[in-house]
Amino acid sequence: MKDVEKLLRGKIPGPDTGIEIRKSICTICDPTTQCGLDLYVKDGKIIKVEGSTEHPYSVGTLCAKGAASRQYVYSEDRLKTPLKRTGARGSGKFEPISWDEALDAIAAKFNEIKKQNGPESVAFFSGYTKYFRPYLKRLAHSFSSPNYLTESSTCHQAMAMAQKLTFGLPGGPDLKNTQCLLVWSANPFYSNPGNARAILKGKERGMTLIVVDPRQTPTTALADLHLQVRPGSDGALALAMANVIINENLYDHDFVSSHTYGFEEYRQYVQQFTPERGEEMTGVPADKITRAARMYASVKPAAIMPSASPVVHHTNGVQNYRAVFALVGLTGNYDIPGGNFVVPPSFIHIPGLIPTREHEFIQCKPWSEMAPRIGADRFPVWLDVVDEEAQAMHLPFQIRSGKPYPIKALIGFGMNYRMWPDSNGLLEAVKKLDFFVNVDIFMTDTCKHADIVLPACTSVERSELRCYPMGYIIFTQPAISPLYDSRSDVEIIYELASRLGLKDPLFEAGYEAGVDWILEPSGLSVAELKKYPGGMFVPNPMKLPEKKYLKNGFKTPSGKMEFKSKVLEKYGEKPGFEALPVYTPPKHSRESTPELAQEFPFILNTGSRLPMYVHTRTFRLSWTNSLRPNHPAADINPTDAARLGMKQDDAIRISTPKGAIVVKANLTQMVQPGVIHMYHGHSDADVNVLFEGDYLDPLSGYPGFKSALCKIEKV
Amino acid sequence: MDKTIYLDLELCVGCGACVVACMDQNDIYPEKGQPAFRRIYKVEGGEFPDASIQHLSAGCVHCEDSPCVIGCPTGAATRDDRTGAIVVNKTLCIGCHSCALACPFGVPRYDRDDKMQKCNLCIERVEVGLEPACVRVCPVRALKFESPNKLQELKESKFIGNIVNAVHRAATRK
């Protein structure tokens, strides 16, 4: 065989083969995890992908999702042109239209609604990915609508709320320097490989690892102590740990006496949470609780790694995480190296060690000059501490009620209606809208219900700005031209701004000028960044001192770290709004609803990550799907399965008071007895139809996806 | 034999990145009935609360005595002298499945043409100094491509590191 043929077969880049490596990033999951991509391109087509070795986050590796990028980009489900609905909503009947026709129709309809009902009656929603969010938020507010909504209504924000209520500013775990890492319900091996590698490195240098997780995961397998809680009882576990730390005098007296508010009441409250009582409430043996508390409080410095959604996907989620974050202050691990260190965000929530004008860019109109956000009445604490957006969980309720004002139109970018509890209820509400547009890469179930569908391109076909916590930054350039008639989300947003006649100078200046405007305080520019197609380290990374609160105080009403929240004090001990991090079992649970638990004896725990999927984004790829051939399936502990006479792959029905789905049984020790775990988003078995639309945390509005009650039976 | 693919069982989490990277490298499409060259297995032991779950990624081990090469009647399966890879010449394969009977590890698979399919160690990549695709992608570096002695060296230094950490912990406790 000729050498060139051999090289081509091996996809070896070089002049002989005409295969060129082009740089980009993967944004199949988001954020912090935008792994560097080396795209092997021949004749304008990607023939293979690999991780970029120079990228400091991904260091040449990819996960199963990113490794499947080529199938993602060239999927047969790609939307090819703008589409206009011709059949009934949901029928999937569309006809191709031109970009001009589509964008003009959208602009005309939005402006008509603005004139008749007010700008707030048009809502703007972002699902994945996140790179375009600053521009979409500016579009909404420039249009004078407060209703910029995102999937952060079910992810990340509630965790940040718990931290903000406690400290004012959230502090992330300093993985590089910590001696004791307490991972509170996260499994980065399936969701954030960079953090997983940091844990492995920590273990190599002797770091102690404690993991709280209701499941058995690769992270719990590495733990010195695994506290396998019953789903939703995290608050009781944290309070029992506080009981040990306080009563064994292991807490940081200096920090507590100088920098905290409400300690005495907190100290008294935790007295009832003895390790033995903790065991009853959480299922974690009392001696393990005691050992974990001693370890976390005595190994210095210690950090807590929270998760974006598992703990806050409970009806008591924010209070539970407040109880967890109280431990950070109690042990004096706030804003110190190796503890939970505060780094200000630079762009799209990521602390990139550079100053930017992102906030000024996105909040181009103050909230006070717009109507109240969706969910403002119902989730007042969200309004108190979440500055970025409206609470999308209230969307179906406001569409149905028309109160305090009607919602008439919605444009989604990557919107997936199955994100909501009672997903069919959300869909029914969306059908009531006068006008619904969805922008997506693929023809999804949600797109099928839109009046106009716009084709977006993938990350490798566009330009985007990203920064990384190690002070790395990239402005990507297209590795291939956008496929078919697709466009980047940002281009769509800028086109809409123009056709809506917003006369917004920063939109009129164009996309790259907007990026330059945001980056201005950092001294960086798009022109400079383009010289480094694979990204670069920022030239002058911010050097941040520890204990910044010594100079600035805490950004809380009391100016101190708050064991007792002054924000919540004003709600007068309304159930769920208690000022102390009070533990209340999940709304539907053995403890709260014993009668319901008689009929529905299992805890339904949903949506934990699998390594080959992020939500539904790689469902349609044969490469990722081949890793999990028997889905949709629910995880059930073999002991429960044996008792109920169920075998692997048996068809089973999962029922709640709300509804039922039929799936396969997957017998695994990953779940504990008494718990059924089901992955979300399946078109043919959408587990979110089993939840009521109002099964929500009253503080955050987050759905209780991780603990409802269910029963299972063989079909 | 020079370098070989090695799996560190302590590190493998069964994420499947190696399987996908292999399919991307070798243009394997499961929907066309083409079998994967690597597969993920999960082994569970014990019961709650003491259960354990072990993952592993398996493919051809390119073994020294290579029963598939010995058993192949047409010479389709051969050993590449330079890399040690066991490679299959599809034009010579007659689909007799002798290799399946011979291989103690259950590696050989067959496509819709009944031709034997398996990992070829990314021989074209290895020849130009690159790692096999599965090794290159592995997010936790559980898969390694090294000589046996280098692998032993890595294992030994990890073991020494554990001792150092234990001594350090004991010293700081005093």
Side-chain angles (χ1 to χ4, degrees):
Chain A
M1 196 198 304
K2 271 188 282 173
D3 267 350
V4 173
E5 264 178 56
K6 204 169 180 185
L7 292 171
L8 277 170
R9 208 178 54 184
K11 302 182 179 176
I12 309 299
D16 292 343
T17 55
I19 299 168
E20 194 188 325
I21 293 182
R22 297 198 186 141
K23 302 284 175 185
S24 188
I25 55 172
C26 171
T27 70
I28 293 175
C29 80
D30 206 333
T32 77
T33 44
Q34 278 60 57
C35 297
L37 283 181
D38 278 3
L39 299 149
Y40 286 55
V41 178
K42 185 170 166 60
D43 304 327
K45 205 167 178 265
I46 299 164
I47 58 162
K48 169 188 163 63
V49 303
E50 218 164 61
S52 309
T53 45
E54 75 273 28
H55 198 282
Y57 171 78
S58 46
V59 291
T61 71
L62 292 172
C63 73
K65 298 157 285 218
S69 287
R70 181 157 65 96
Q71 275 202 333
Y72 190 77
V73 172
Y74 295 109
S75 163
E76 283 176 8
D77 287 354
R78 282 282 299 258
L79 290 165
K80 295 181 176 64
T81 67
L83 298 170
K84 187 174 147 186
R85 184 167 59 84
T86 54
R89 275 184 175 163
S91 65
K93 287 184 183 151
F94 292 94
E95 63 178 22
I97 54 170
S98 72
W99 274 103
D100 277 334
E101 194 183 343
L103 293 166
D104 284 340
I106 296 166
K109 191 74 191 173
F110 282 10
N111 276 335
E112 180 195 321
I113 291 167
K114 186 181 198 174
K115 208 167 156 191
Q116 283 177 3
N117 302 91
E120 60 275 14
S121 292
V122 179
F124 301 75
F125 179 88
S126 163
Y128 268 23
T129 176
K130 300 186 182 178
Y131 85 99
F132 58 79
R133 287 192 182 177
Y135 320 100
L136 183 64
K137 179 167 159 78
R138 186 175 179 95
L139 180 71
H141 297 339
S142 196
F143 184 78
S144 297
S145 174
N147 290 321
Y148 164 72
L149 309 142
T150 78
E151 54 71 62
S152 300
S153 288
T154 61
C155 189
H156 169 77
Q157 283 293 9
M159 180 274 285
M161 283 176 80
Q163 289 218 52
K164 287 178 190 170
L165 288 167
T166 310
F167 300 109
L169 295 173
D174 178 1
L175 297 175
K176 227 172 160 178
N177 297 305
T178 192
Q179 290 301 323
C180 174
L181 184 66
L182 170 51
V183 177
W184 208 293
S185 232
N187 176 27
F189 287 91
Y190 289 178
S191 59
N192 189 329
N195 281 352
R197 285 186 289 270
I199 290 176
L200 290 172
K201 272 193 181 165
K203 289 286 289 179
E204 272 178 33
R205 62 176 164 75
M207 178 188 84
T208 300
L209 181 67
I210 309 167
V211 183
V212 178
D213 200 311
R215 306 199 308 158
Q216 289 265 355
T217 71
T219 313
T220 67
L222 288 173
D224 297 291
L225 265 183
H226 172 202
L227 311 183
Q228 201 168 359
V229 281
R230 260 198 299 277
S233 67
D234 306 82
L237 179 62
L239 292 164
M241 284 176 68
N243 176 293
V244 175
I245 293 169
I246 292 171
N247 291 338
E248 296 192 4
N249 203 18
L250 298 171
Y251 66 97
D252 186 324
H253 287 257
D254 287 347
F255 183 86
V256 166
S257 60
S258 312
H259 303 294
T260 69
Y261 170 76
F263 176 70
E264 190 45 36
E265 284 144 291
Y266 169 72
R267 190 190 66 77
Q268 284 171 23
Y269 178 64
V270 305
Q271 290 312 311
Q272 58 186 291
F273 294 88
T274 59
E276 292 69 29
R277 184 89 184 90
E279 175 171 340
E280 283 166 32
M281 297 168 108
T282 67
V284 180
D287 75 298
K288 265 197 175 178
I289 297 176
T290 305
R291 274 157 63 207
R294 287 176 186 159
M295 237 184 232
Y296 172 71
S298 51
V299 181
K300 305 281 181 190
I304 291 181
M305 178 192 279
S307 53
S309 67
V311 174
V312 287
H313 276 181
H314 289 288
T315 55
N316 53 1
V318 171
Q319 293 291 42
N320 281 355
Y321 245 158
R322 281 184 64 221
V324 172
F325 292 124
L327 300 175
V328 177
L330 188 63
T331 53
N333 279 305
Y334 181 71
D335 207 15
I336 60 165
N340 283 70
F341 198 74
V342 179
V343 188
S346 304
F347 192 63
I348 320 179
H349 303 297
I350 302 304
L353 307 183
I354 50 166
T356 66
R357 284 195 284 186
E358 184 194 32
H359 182 76
E360 294 84 337
F361 184 88
I362 63 179
Q363 201 68 50
C364 60
K365 189 163 286 172
W367 291 113
S368 57
E369 288 177 20
M370 297 181 279
R373 294 176 247 178
I374 288 171
D377 289 350
R378 190 166 176 199
F379 303 109
V381 184
W382 177 278
L383 232 59
D384 289 334
V385 292
V386 177
D387 192 41
E388 290 95 334
E389 57 206 274
Q391 194 3 316
M393 290 300 104
H394 189 62
L395 177 66
F397 296 90
Q398 187 157 341
I399 293 173
R400 281 194 291 262
S401 72
K403 286 181 181 144
Y405 54 81
I407 302 296
K408 293 287 184 186
L410 171 66
I411 181 167
F413 285 74
M415 177 168 160
N416 181 352
Y417 79 86
R418 299 190 196 281
M419 185 187 90
W420 276 260
D422 183 22
S423 42
N424 288 335
L426 182 274
L427 189 60
E428 289 309 310
V430 165
K431 285 184 188 168
K432 288 189 168 58
L433 294 169
D434 287 0
F435 193 54
F436 173 43
V437 181
N438 202 25
V439 184
D440 210 306
I441 299 170
F442 310 108
M443 177 48 86
T444 62
D445 290 349
T446 307
C447 286
K448 286 178 189 155
H449 295 271
D451 299 300
I452 290 180
V453 178
L454 300 177
C457 64
T458 67
S459 65
V460 302
E461 301 156 66
R462 65 179 181 231
S463 284
E464 67 183 84
L465 179 71
R466 293 284 185 165
C467 52
Y468 297 83
M470 63 291 289
Y472 198 73
I473 188 164
I474 188 169
F475 186 77
T476 60
Q477 287 145 72
I480 55 168
S481 306
L483 296 184
Y484 320 111
D485 203 7
S486 66
R487 291 185 180 180
S488 85
D489 314 78
V490 163
E491 198 183 335
I492 297 167
I493 290 165
Y494 273 71
E495 272 292 332
L496 279 175
S498 159
R499 287 166 205 247
L500 285 164
L502 297 179
K503 305 264 178 273
D504 179 326
L506 273 178
F507 275 129
E508 284 174 356
Y511 172 39
E512 292 188 3
V515 175
D516 276 341
W517 193 91
I518 292 168
L519 286 176
E520 198 267 341
S522 71
L524 290 164
S525 67
V526 168
E528 175 71 6
L529 292 175
K530 278 186 174 176
K531 293 179 196 160
Y532 305 91
M536 65 187 278
F537 282 98
V538 298
N540 301 301
M542 276 188 211
K543 289 196 174 51
L544 295 157
E546 64 170 328
K547 301 185 182 177
K548 294 175 273 294
Y549 54 84
L550 291 177
K551 194 172 158 206
N552 313 321
F554 289 81
K555 285 198 167 23
T556 55
S558 66
K560 297 189 166 197
M561 178 240 156
E562 299 187 351
F563 287 111
K564 190 176 178 210
S565 167
K566 276 203 173 265
V567 171
L568 294 178
E569 270 178 9
K570 67 181 185 223
Y571 296 99
E573 297 300 300
K574 193 171 139 191
F577 288 68
E578 299 87 353
L580 286 169
V582 164
Y583 176 68
T584 313
K587 196 162 127 190
H588 289 176
S589 59
R590 210 175 52 186
E591 296 82 358
S592 302
T593 52
E595 273 179 30
L596 195 67
Q598 290 279 321
E599 194 190 340
F600 299 94
F602 282 92
I603 295 174
L604 178 62
N605 177 264
T606 74
S608 294
R609 286 277 184 88
L610 289 163
M612 71 297 283
Y613 302 135
V614 48
H615 310 306
T616 62
R617 295 199 97 206
T618 49
F619 271 13
R620 53 174 54 74
L621 315 183
S622 70
W623 287 345
T624 41
N625 263 337
S626 73
L627 298 168
R628 195 174 182 245
N630 67 339
H631 64 82
D635 300 325
I636 171 171
N637 187 279
T639 312
D640 287 331
R643 187 166 47 82
L644 298 167
M646 290 169 183
K647 293 188 301 294
Q648 178 69 25
D649 292 340
D650 276 354
I652 58 168
R653 183 184 293 109
I654 308 177
S655 324
T656 67
K658 174 75 179 167
I661 55 172
V662 174
V663 299
K664 286 179 183 170
N666 182 46
L667 277 54
T668 174
Q669 294 287 354
M670 200 155 191
V671 287
Q672 55 180 287
V675 177
I676 302 298
H677 175 262
M678 175 73 199
Y679 192 79
H680 57 300
H682 291 287
S683 295
D684 46 353
D686 176 3
V687 75
N688 286 14
V689 305
L690 303 184
F691 292 85
E692 296 287 354
D694 62 358
Y695 193 64
L696 306 172
D697 181 338
L699 291 184
S700 64
Y702 272 39
F705 285 145
K706 299 274 186 290
S707 58
L709 291 172
C710 74
K711 65 178 173 187
I712 54 168
E713 58 211 322
K714 253 172 97 164
V715 178
Chain B
M1 184 176 187
D2 192 17
K3 290 183 175 180
T4 185
I5 295 175
Y6 170 83
L7 176 73
D8 185 338
L9 280 176
E10 281 182 31
L11 292 176
C12 181
V13 296
C15 73
C18 51
V19 176
V20 175
C22 175
M23 290 175 168
D24 185 33
Q25 173 68 40
N26 294 295
D27 297 321
I28 296 168
Y29 300 100
E31 70 274 29
K32 293 183 187 168
Q34 295 163 342
F37 293 172
R38 292 204 78 80
R39 291 161 292 277
I40 297 295
Y41 291 93
K42 187 176 72 166
V43 184
E44 300 196 349
E47 280 189 14
F48 175 85
D50 302 310
S52 68
I53 302 173
Q54 174 69 57
H55 297 93
L56 63 99
S57 160
C60 178
V61 292
H62 301 275
C63 51
E64 286 286 344
D65 54 355
S66 331
C68 63
V69 173
I70 298 162
C72 179
T74 64
T78 53
R79 168 180 295 280
D80 176 73
D81 288 337
R82 218 153 75 82
T83 58
I86 309 298
V87 291
V88 180
N89 182 341
K90 278 178 78 173
T91 53
L92 296 179
C93 176
I94 54 169
C96 70
H97 296 211
S98 296
C99 47
L101 294 172
C103 176
F105 305 111
V107 165
R109 294 290 195 280
Y110 303 88
D111 65 11
R112 282 183 184 158
D113 296 338
D114 217 17
K115 304 277 188 183
M116 199 263 243
Q117 306 281 311
K118 69 164 202 66
C119 161
N120 69 353
L121 203 69
C122 284
I123 185 166
E124 300 89 356
R125 284 172 60 84
V126 170
E127 282 181 348
V128 298
L130 299 170
E131 292 170 317
C134 57
V135 174
R136 172 61 191 276
V137 79
C138 180
V140 291
R141 301 287 184 221
L143 282 169
K144 296 176 173 71
F145 186 60
E146 283 297 350
S147 66
N149 279 347
K150 178 73 184 171
L151 288 166
Q152 287 303 94
E153 208 177 288
L154 291 172
K155 204 169 169 183
E156 198 171 35
S157 59
K158 193 172 171 181
F159 170 71
I160 300 294
N162 288 342
I163 294 176
V164 171
N165 288 333
V167 171
H168 178 73
R169 266 204 299 261
T172 47
R173 236 179 249 138
K174 276 175 197 162

